[in-house]
Amino acid sequence: MRNASTRSSREVSELKSFKTIIGIAAICVCLMSFGFMANDVDAADSDFGNKEVTWSGFTDNDNGTLTAYITNDGTVDETVELVVKDYSSGKVLASTEATIVAGEENKAVSVGFGYGSEGKEYVVVCLYESDGTTLISELGPYEIDVKHSIWKDWVTYLVVVVIIIVVIILAYFYIRGAPDRAAKKAEALQGNTKSAPAGRTKYDANSQRKSKRK
């Protein structure tokens, strides 16, 4: 009797443990399901649009501008972060946040950055959620041709200085000769305005004779 009672209590205890394990497993499954649902709800609806990434203005003396186009297919506004990285090193070259209105397509988002030397550079364009860590999408690599700027050469500045000096010298001599030109002009005007010599009085012999007879 004692053995039967002990066995029965052990079976009951094992059954309770089994039920406890089943309950814990069910709770874990529910929590995982809620987690997946939350991830689906929180997933960004914004992504790169159907327009190509563009860039322009890159020289070894001036920053250029890169523009990406972002579309929001969701029903709520979303804030995303656009990040441009160097393809080789992964170094962040530029980043900016932008709010994409619900339903907006191909919104232009631009960033500016530059290089100190000419040549070909390669970048990737990344789109992150507002936390700056959750990657939505990545494009690239893109080849950027950094051109040489003439304003980085000292010869250019020398030519500009020389031109300025020549203009100053010409202006100086022009101003210096202004009084002489004014005097010559005044003399010419005076010569044209001189009065002509007086005409001779015509002698009338008949009128002289008449006066003597009287």
Side-chain angles (χ1 to χ4, degrees):
M1 293 289 293
R2 185 178 296 175
N3 291 337
S5 177
T6 303
R7 187 183 303 166
S8 178
S9 62
R10 185 179 297 172
E11 289 177 353
V12 171
S13 176
E14 290 177 353
L15 182 61
K16 287 183 178 179
S17 299
F18 180 74
K19 288 182 178 179
T20 302
I21 293 173
I22 294 297
I24 293 173
I27 293 173
C28 290
V29 170
C30 290
L31 291 175
M32 291 176 64
S33 299
F34 282 121
F36 287 130
M37 291 176 63
N39 286 336
D40 291 339
V41 171
D42 293 339
D45 292 312
S46 296
D47 203 342
F48 290 113
N50 55 19
K51 294 184 68 174
E52 292 292 330
V53 175
T54 59
W55 58 90
S56 62
F58 286 92
T59 71
D60 55 4
N61 194 55
D62 299 302
N63 289 349
T65 302
L66 183 145
T67 302
Y69 300 88
I70 303 172
T71 295
N72 182 359
D73 292 327
T75 57
V76 296
D77 300 351
E78 289 186 343
T79 299
V80 295
E81 184 176 4
L82 181 69
V83 180
V84 179
K85 300 180 180 179
D86 181 77
Y87 177 63
S88 300
S89 66
K91 177 183 176 182
V92 175
L93 302 174
S95 65
T96 185
E97 285 191 350
T99 299
I100 315 301
V101 178
E104 187 173 10
E105 296 184 357
N106 294 319
K107 177 176 179 177
V109 180
S110 300
V111 291
F113 57 97
Y115 298 93
S117 59
E118 62 179 314
K120 297 186 183 300
E121 302 289 345
Y122 296 87
V123 300
V124 290
V125 183
C126 305
L127 189 64
Y128 289 89
E129 293 186 12
S130 57
D131 58 10
T133 57
T134 305
L135 180 65
I136 299 173
S137 188
E138 180 177 308
L139 298 176
Y142 297 104
E143 180 185 280
I144 296 178
D145 186 15
V146 183
K147 301 182 181 300
H148 176 64
S149 172
I150 61 171
W151 294 107
K152 201 170 183 179
D153 297 332
W154 65 269
V155 176
T156 304
Y157 293 97
L158 179 61
V159 171
V160 172
V161 171
V162 170
I163 292 174
I164 293 174
I165 292 174
V166 170
V167 170
I168 292 174
I169 293 173
L170 292 176
Y172 169 76
F173 281 108
Y174 179 82
I175 295 172
R176 185 179 179 182
D180 294 337
R181 290 192 299 273
K184 291 179 179 179
K185 187 176 181 180
E187 291 177 357
L189 291 175
Q190 289 178 358
N192 292 332
T193 55
K194 286 182 178 180
S195 57
R200 295 180 179 178
T201 303
K202 187 177 181 180
Y203 177 75
D204 191 350
N206 295 327
S207 61
Q208 289 290 337
R209 290 174 183 171
K210 289 179 180 180
S211 60
K212 287 180 179 180
R213 288 176 182 175
K214 293 179 179 181

